[in-house]
Amino acid sequence: MSNQLRGACIFGQSGGPTSVINASAYGVIRAALDAECITKVYGAAHGIKGVLEDKLYVMDEEDPKELELLLHTPSSELGSCRYKIADPEKDDSDYKRILEIFKKYNVRYFFYNGGNDSMDTCNKISRYMESVGYECRVMGVPKTIDNDLFGTDHCPGFASAAKYIATSCMEINKDARVYDNGMIEFGSGPDLIYLPEYDFDMDRFYADVEKIYAKNGKVLIAVSEGIHYADGSFVSEAKTSATDGFGHAQLGGLASLLASLLQQRTGAKVRGIELSLLQRCGAHLASQTDIDEAYGAGKEAVLQAVNGVSGKMVAFKRDTVDGKYVCRFVLLPLDSVANYEKKVPLEWINDEHNGLKKEFIDYVLPLIQGEPKLPLENSLPRYARLKKVLAK
Amino acid sequence: MSNQLRGACIFGQSGGPTSVINASAYGVIRAALDAECITKVYGAAHGIKGVLEDKLYVMDEEDPKELELLLHTPSSELGSCRYKIADPEKDDSDYKRILEIFKKYNVRYFFYNGGNDSMDTCNKISRYMESVGYECRVMGVPKTIDNDLFGTDHCPGFASAAKYIATSCMEINKDARVYDNGMIEFGSGPDLIYLPEYDFDMDRFYADVEKIYAKNGKVLIAVSEGIHYADGSFVSEAKTSATDGFGHAQLGGLASLLASLLQQRTGAKVRGIELSLLQRCGAHLASQTDIDEAYGAGKEAVLQAVNGVSGKMVAFKRDTVDGKYVCRFVLLPLDSVANYEKKVPLEWINDEHNGLKKEFIDYVLPLIQGEPKLPLENSLPRYARLKKVLAK
C-alpha cells in the first residue's frame, strides 16, 4: 500500500488523570503492538516531558497480561505532565528536540492522550513535523472528567466520574436522612445543583437552601468547583464578610467554605464533602461503557494512523440503533479541538439555575452503564505492574 | 417449652450509621418475622426515640423483597438517634414511658443495634424491665465503623469502612504519583499512619514527613480524626501559630488543617482528602464477609432471645478451621460491653508510632473479603424502598 509507513511509535499521557485514561493507553499500546508496520512501541514517561528528556519505556518488553490490567488501573500509568509547549514561531527549541528524538528512534507515529491543551500540543507537533518534511502521523486521543472537549459528544473519563459522583451522592443522601434533627448536607446531590455555566449569586443560593430546608429539614447540595460570581471571580476564592479574618480558600476548599457560611447563617448542622481526587481515580466504580469507549478511542487512533490518517483527534458521535445508545468514532482536525471549551448546554439547566433537567439525565445515563469485572487480589484492586524498561 | 414467650418485638437502630447496619436490621427483621412466637415485628423510627414517641413501623406490612434489599442499603433505614437515656435511679420517666409502649403493643422482645452507648441503653432497659417484673427479652446487636466495642473480635461495619479506605487509598496512591514534581498527598495511605492510640507530636510528624518526602518526592499520609496531643486536646482543634488568625477547625477538618501546615512548611503541593461520611456509607464497596456477619449477628440475637436468652450482646469470636478464618457468635453480658472502649493493640503499631505492623493486616484482611452482588437499576444502586406503615 502506498500509505504504508514503517517505524516506531510513541504514546504519551497528559493532563489530569481519569479512571479510564489507562484503558485508552491499553487501546493504543495493544493496537500498536499488533500493527505490523509499527516496529517498536514506546511509552513516554510523563507525557511530552518524557520525549524531551529521552525517557521512553519500551512497551514491547511488558507482560501482555499486565498490560491488559491497564483497563482497570486508574490514573496515568506512564505519568503525566502539564507542560505547555511554546509556539514554534516564537521558540522552536522543544520541537527541534522532539524531532531529534523522533529521528533517534525512527518514530513515525505519535499518539497523545489528553484534554484541550494536549490536543494543542499534538496539533503543534503535527504541523511542525509537516513543516520540516519529517513524515510522522500524529493522532490525539481525548480524555477529561470535565467533559469540555469541543466536537465530541462526550469525553472518556467523564462517565466514570459521573457514576462515582452519582453513586456517592446516593449513599450520602441515605446517610443524611438518618437523624431527625435538621441537617444540610454538602457534596454532590439532588436537591440543588450549581454549575459554572451560570453566574453564582450568594443571596440567591441562601434563599434556595433556606426554602428547601424549611420544607424538608434536609438539603443536599452539589456544587461544581468552578462556580464563579458575575465578575468572574471564583466562589472558592471569595473573601466574604464571614470568611474575612480566617478565610483561607486553600484550607478546605469550596464545599467547606460554603458549609461554613451556611452553618453561620442557619445554625443547622452542615457538612462539606469534597470528592476531590476520589472522583477522578475511582476505578472501582468505573462505567464499563466508558472503559470500552476509552479503549476503543485509543485503538481507533492507531488503526487510522496506520491507514494514513494524521492530524486528527478521535471523537465520539452518539447514535441510536433499535432505540439503544451506540457510540461511533469520528475524526476531528486537531486544530478544531485545541483550546476550545465545551459547556453544558444552557437548555439542560433549569430556570432557577439550581438544577438539571431530564435532558441531562437522558444524555448521561447511557454513558454510565455497565460494571467492569475488576481484577482483585485479597478483595482489593489488582492494578497493572509494569516493568517500565527504559529505551537506550 | 417452658421458656416460650409470645409477643411482639421492637427493633431499633442507634448511633452513627455504617454500610452494613441495615444487613443486621434485615437479620433481626427476617428472623423475627419467621419466629412463630413473635406475633408482630415493629421497627422503631429513630431508635429509642421512636419508642418514646410511639412511632413504630410495622415490618409485617413490608414487601419481603424490599426488606431483602436492606442487605445492600447503607445508612440506618429506620432512622437513628444519639439520645442518651437517663439512669433509672435518677429519672425513670423514660423507662415508664417505654414500659407503657411495651405494654400497649405487648412487646416481649427488644433488639437494639448500636455501639457502646446503645448497649448501655439496652442494658438499662433490660434491668428496668426485670426490676418491675415485666417479662421482656432484650438483646444487643453490635455495630460501629470505629471497631471499639469491648469483648468482640470486631464490629460489623468496621470491615466495610476499612475496605472503602484501603481501596480509595490505593486509587489515591496511583493518582498521587502522576506528576514528576513533588507532592504530599493527604488522606488514607501507606507511607505514614497516625492513630489516636499514641499521643501526636507535631514536630515528630514534620520530621517523619520530611524524611520520606526527601527520599521519594511523594508522601501519602493517613490520619485518624481522633489524633490528639499529649495533653489530650485534639489536633483537629489545634490553634497552632500557623492557624492563628484564620484557623477555624470546623472549616475543612483535620486533613485540610495538616495539609495547610505542611504546605506552609515544605512549599510542596499538599492535598487534604477527608473520607468523611463516604467511608461509613460506601455500600458499593462493602465486604461480603461483613454483610454476612452483620446479618448473622441480627439473626442470632433473635434466635437466642426466642430460646430464652436476655441481657446479652451478640459478639464475634475469631476461629480458624483448616487454616481459614471463621467467625463464631458468642454472647456477652450487656453490662460488660456498655461504656467500655476497645483500642488498637499497641503491639500492632510500629516503634515510630507512624505505621501499622503485619499483625494488623493479618487481623483485618480476612474481614474485608468478598464482593457483594449489588442490586442495580440503570447501573446505579437500587436500595430498599420501605412503606414504613406506622402502628396505630
Side-chain angles (χ1 to χ4, degrees):
Chain A
M1 270 163 66
S2 63
N3 56 9
Q4 170 115 47
L5 178 64
R6 277 186 74 81
C9 87
I10 291 179
F11 167 71
Q13 299 178 306
S14 178
T18 78
S19 295
V20 303
I21 187 169
N22 288 327
S24 287
Y26 183 59
V28 169
I29 295 165
R30 187 66 267 160
L33 288 170
D34 293 344
E36 221 182 312
C37 59
I38 297 181
T39 51
K40 203 99 182 176
V41 182
Y42 298 108
H46 299 288
I48 198 66
K49 281 177 83 175
V51 181
L52 294 167
E53 294 165 6
D54 198 359
K55 277 191 186 162
L56 303 174
Y57 304 125
V58 187
M59 291 295 114
D60 309 67
E61 304 271 346
E62 300 293 344
D63 178 343
K65 280 186 187 151
E66 291 298 326
L67 284 176
E68 198 180 343
L69 288 173
L70 287 173
L71 287 171
H72 305 289
T73 302
S75 184
S76 307
E77 188 58 25
L78 302 176
S80 185
C81 67
R82 291 200 185 274
Y83 185 79
K84 183 96 180 162
I85 202 163
D87 268 325
E89 294 79 28
K90 286 180 189 158
D91 175 8
D92 66 355
S93 51
D94 278 349
Y95 299 90
K96 281 182 175 160
R97 174 67 178 153
I98 293 169
L99 179 60
E100 189 185 342
I101 297 292
F102 278 19
K103 283 182 174 167
K104 177 177 174 187
Y105 295 100
N106 187 32
V107 172
R108 297 294 171 176
Y109 296 91
F110 180 68
F111 304 101
Y112 211 45
N113 193 185
N116 312 64
D117 287 343
S118 311
M119 293 309 126
D120 182 52
T121 300
C122 215
N123 187 39
K124 284 172 178 163
I125 293 172
S126 176
R127 283 188 299 153
Y128 180 82
M129 295 301 160
E130 224 172 301
S131 74
V132 296
Y134 181 84
E135 197 177 3
C136 181
R137 296 178 188 159
V138 177
M139 295 289 286
V141 181
K143 76 87 217 167
T144 162
I145 65 165
D146 299 339
N147 205 31
D148 58 357
L149 272 177
F150 181 81
T152 185
D153 177 77
H154 57 281
C155 298
F158 163 68
S160 294
K163 188 171 181 168
Y164 184 92
I165 295 168
T167 303
S168 297
C169 155
M170 287 178 72
E171 292 174 343
I172 291 168
N173 192 39
K174 273 280 166 200
D175 198 292
R177 274 142 228 271
V178 155
Y179 298 110
D180 58 354
N181 51 336
M183 185 155 194
I184 300 177
E185 197 76 26
F186 235 93
S188 55
D191 294 315
L192 295 166
I193 301 172
Y194 297 91
L195 298 181
E197 271 70 10
Y198 280 107
D199 296 335
F200 185 81
D201 181 287
M202 191 62 86
D203 289 328
R204 215 163 140 177
F205 171 69
Y206 285 145
D208 289 349
V209 175
E210 282 166 358
K211 191 175 155 193
I212 293 177
Y213 186 57
K215 198 176 132 206
N216 303 341
K218 268 120 191 161
V219 193
L220 197 60
I221 309 159
V223 292
S224 159
E225 232 183 346
I227 56 168
H228 53 79
Y229 294 109
D231 67 2
S233 64
F234 287 113
V235 177
S236 58
E237 288 165 359
K239 298 265 177 283
T240 70
S241 61
T243 56
D244 263 341
F246 65 82
H248 190 282
Q250 175 104 48
L251 190 72
L254 180 59
S256 298
L257 175 73
L258 290 176
S260 178
L261 291 172
L262 276 180
Q263 183 155 47
Q264 285 171 55
R265 197 178 162 97
T266 64
K269 186 176 170 188
V270 192
R271 219 189 257 258
I273 299 172
E274 316 267 350
L275 294 180
S276 183
L277 298 189
L278 295 164
Q279 63 190 322
R280 78 179 194 193
C281 62
H284 70 276
L285 259 182
S287 147
Q288 185 62 46
T289 302
D290 196 14
I291 294 174
D292 291 343
E293 292 176 357
Y295 169 81
K299 184 179 173 184
E300 180 72 8
V302 174
L303 298 182
Q304 292 288 350
V306 165
N307 279 331
V309 174
S310 185
K312 309 278 187 188
M313 182 189 83
V314 176
F316 295 156
K317 196 174 177 304
R318 181 184 298 245
D319 203 352
T320 308
V321 173
D322 297 334
K324 275 191 181 168
Y325 162 86
V326 172
C327 179
R328 301 203 189 283
F329 301 121
V330 289
L331 298 174
L332 298 178
L334 280 171
D335 55 9
S336 76
V337 182
N339 299 320
Y340 289 93
E341 202 179 279
K342 200 176 79 167
K343 307 249 182 191
V344 174
L346 294 183
E347 59 270 25
W348 292 359
I349 300 174
N350 68 5
D351 294 343
E352 298 79 25
H353 306 174
N354 62 17
L356 284 158
K357 293 194 208 164
K358 189 177 170 296
E359 283 87 338
F360 174 76
I361 306 294
D362 291 344
Y363 166 79
V364 80
L365 211 53
L367 311 181
I368 66 165
Q369 298 304 301
E371 284 61 56
K373 280 203 187 100
L374 294 170
L376 298 173
E377 209 168 59
N378 281 319
S379 276
L380 291 173
R382 167 65 165 88
Y383 299 138
R385 292 172 194 148
L386 302 190
K387 285 181 271 184
K388 297 190 182 170
V389 180
L390 279 173
K392 274 162 228 127
Chain B
M1 270 162 69
S2 63
N3 57 9
Q4 171 115 47
L5 178 64
R6 278 186 73 81
C9 86
I10 291 179
F11 166 70
Q13 298 177 308
S14 178
T18 78
S19 294
V20 303
I21 187 170
N22 288 326
S24 288
Y26 183 59
V28 169
I29 294 166
R30 188 66 266 159
L33 288 170
D34 293 343
E36 221 184 311
C37 59
I38 296 181
T39 51
K40 204 98 182 178
V41 182
Y42 298 108
H46 299 288
I48 197 67
K49 281 176 83 176
V51 181
L52 294 167
E53 294 166 5
D54 198 358
K55 277 190 185 164
L56 303 175
Y57 304 125
V58 187
M59 291 296 114
D60 309 68
E61 304 271 345
E62 300 292 344
D63 177 343
K65 281 184 186 153
E66 292 297 328
L67 283 177
E68 199 180 343
L69 288 172
L70 287 173
L71 285 170
H72 305 289
T73 302
S75 183
S76 307
E77 188 58 26
L78 303 176
S80 186
C81 67
R82 289 199 186 275
Y83 186 78
K84 183 96 179 161
I85 203 162
D87 268 323
E89 294 78 29
K90 286 180 188 156
D91 175 8
D92 65 355
S93 52
D94 278 350
Y95 300 89
K96 282 182 174 161
R97 174 66 178 155
I98 293 168
L99 179 60
E100 189 185 345
I101 296 292
F102 277 19
K103 283 182 174 167
K104 177 177 172 185
Y105 296 101
N106 187 33
V107 172
R108 297 294 172 176
Y109 296 91
F110 181 68
F111 303 102
Y112 211 45
N113 193 184
N116 312 63
D117 287 343
S118 311
M119 293 309 125
D120 182 50
T121 301
C122 217
N123 187 39
K124 284 172 178 162
I125 292 173
S126 176
R127 284 189 297 151
Y128 180 81
M129 295 301 160
E130 223 173 302
S131 73
V132 297
Y134 181 84
E135 197 177 3
C136 180
R137 293 176 189 160
V138 177
M139 295 288 287
V141 181
K143 76 88 216 168
T144 163
I145 65 165
D146 300 336
N147 207 31
D148 59 357
L149 272 177
F150 181 81
T152 184
D153 178 77
H154 57 282
C155 299
F158 163 68
S160 294
K163 187 170 182 170
Y164 184 93
I165 295 168
T167 303
S168 297
C169 154
M170 288 179 72
E171 291 173 343
I172 291 168
N173 192 38
K174 274 280 166 201
D175 198 291
R177 275 141 227 272
V178 156
Y179 300 111
D180 58 355
N181 51 338
M183 185 154 194
I184 300 177
E185 198 76 28
F186 235 93
S188 55
D191 294 315
L192 295 166
I193 301 173
Y194 297 90
L195 298 181
E197 272 69 11
Y198 279 107
D199 296 334
F200 185 82
D201 182 286
M202 192 62 86
D203 289 328
R204 215 164 141 176
F205 171 70
Y206 285 145
D208 289 348
V209 174
E210 281 166 358
K211 191 175 155 192
I212 293 178
Y213 187 57
K215 197 177 134 207
N216 302 342
K218 269 122 193 161
V219 194
L220 196 60
I221 308 159
V223 292
S224 159
E225 233 184 347
I227 56 168
H228 54 79
Y229 293 110
D231 67 2
S233 64
F234 287 113
V235 178
S236 58
E237 288 166 359
K239 298 264 176 283
T240 71
S241 61
T243 56
D244 262 343
F246 66 84
H248 189 285
Q250 175 104 46
L251 190 73
L254 179 61
S256 298
L257 174 74
L258 290 176
S260 179
L261 291 172
L262 275 180
Q263 184 155 47
Q264 286 171 55
R265 195 178 164 98
T266 64
K269 185 176 172 190
V270 192
R271 219 189 257 259
I273 299 172
E274 315 267 350
L275 294 180
S276 183
L277 298 190
L278 296 164
Q279 62 190 323
R280 77 178 193 193
C281 62
H284 70 276
L285 259 182
S287 146
Q288 185 62 45
T289 302
D290 197 14
I291 294 174
D292 291 343
E293 292 176 356
Y295 169 80
K299 185 179 170 184
E300 181 72 7
V302 174
L303 299 182
Q304 291 288 350
V306 164
N307 279 330
V309 174
S310 186
K312 308 279 186 187
M313 184 188 83
V314 175
F316 295 156
K317 195 174 177 306
R318 181 183 297 242
D319 203 352
T320 308
V321 173
D322 296 334
K324 275 190 181 168
Y325 162 86
V326 172
C327 179
R328 302 205 189 281
F329 301 123
V330 288
L331 298 175
L332 299 178
L334 281 170
D335 55 10
S336 77
V337 182
N339 299 319
Y340 288 92
E341 203 179 276
K342 200 177 79 169
K343 307 248 182 192
V344 174
L346 294 183
E347 59 270 26
W348 293 358
I349 300 174
N350 68 5
D351 294 344
E352 299 80 25
H353 305 175
N354 61 18
L356 284 159
K357 292 195 209 163
K358 190 177 169 295
E359 284 86 337
F360 175 77
I361 306 295
D362 292 343
Y363 165 79
V364 81
L365 212 53
L367 311 182
I368 67 165
Q369 298 304 301
E371 285 59 58
K373 281 202 187 101
L374 293 170
L376 298 172
E377 208 168 62
N378 281 319
S379 276
L380 291 172
R382 166 66 164 87
Y383 299 138
R385 293 173 193 146
L386 302 189
K387 285 180 272 183
K388 298 190 182 172
V389 180
L390 279 173
K392 275 163 226 127

